[in-house]
Amino acid sequence: VTTLGINPWTTVVKTADETVNNSDVMQDDDHLTFAGVSGGTYAVRLVLNITQANASADLKCDFDALNGNTSFYSCLWRLTDTGGTVLTDIENVGPAADLNMTSTATGQMFAEITLNFTLSGNANCTLRWAQNTATAADTIIKAGSYLEYKKLI
């Protein structure tokens, strides 16, 4: 009989707004990160409060530790924009793939992202993001957005 210990969720809260404009190049988020260990299987949830000034910019993101560090992860994301439109996608993707979340709205949006993965080496697990299409208008991930993670095994 195997007894599983209780591994609580750990929450990392974004303490300041972060702005990207004129860039579709992925950059590390300043706050939404945690240290993962080799062989660890993780469940990760992100809730992002996003402000988008140009509907063409959209948002793309990935999780930095997964690039070359694990062979597979699964992802569920949902984006709700100011018009009440809900966009959802389930992806079983390789570690180098970006999640491209598109909306035709401007203003405030919320993204919910759920990931599961196993690391093949120690790594900082960091949200990376950029505009999907570079525009001069600001795309902002707002303070209060958060990442929750739990080491499953």
Side-chain angles (χ1 to χ4, degrees):
V1 174
T2 301
T3 302
L4 297 176
I6 296 174
N7 289 330
W9 288 90
T10 300
T11 302
V12 178
V13 179
K14 190 164 188 60
T15 57
D17 291 358
E18 190 168 346
T19 302
V20 169
N21 55 43
N22 278 327
S23 179
D24 60 1
V25 177
M26 293 290 212
Q27 54 96 37
D28 288 352
D29 188 272
D30 293 339
H31 305 104
L32 301 178
T33 187
F34 69 94
V37 298
S38 181
T41 298
Y42 292 90
V44 177
R45 298 185 295 221
L46 293 135
V47 176
L48 307 176
N49 179 354
I50 305 158
T51 300
Q52 180 170 277
N54 183 318
S56 298
D58 297 324
L59 180 78
K60 67 179 176 181
C61 61
D62 70 10
F63 223 57
D64 189 37
L66 305 184
N67 293 320
N69 198 3
T70 187
S71 60
F72 176 81
Y73 69 96
S74 60
C75 173
L76 166 67
W77 64 263
R78 182 173 75 177
L79 179 71
T80 306
D81 64 27
T82 52
T85 302
V86 177
L87 306 164
T88 303
D89 195 9
I90 298 172
E91 300 181 29
N92 292 314
V93 294
D98 298 336
L99 307 173
N100 296 313
M101 293 180 272
T102 60
S103 170
T104 57
T106 58
Q108 189 171 22
M109 298 180 290
F110 292 93
E112 298 172 85
I113 304 166
T114 303
L115 301 166
N116 291 296
F117 56 85
T118 300
L119 294 174
S120 57
N122 293 337
N124 287 326
C125 302
T126 304
L127 175 70
R128 297 185 330 145
W129 62 279
Q131 292 178 323
N132 197 37
T133 303
T135 68
D138 292 346
T139 298
I140 303 167
I141 295 186
K142 306 289 283 177
S145 297
Y146 62 92
L147 172 155
E148 295 178 308
Y149 69 95
K150 180 176 186 172
K151 185 172 181 285
L152 302 174
I153 52 175

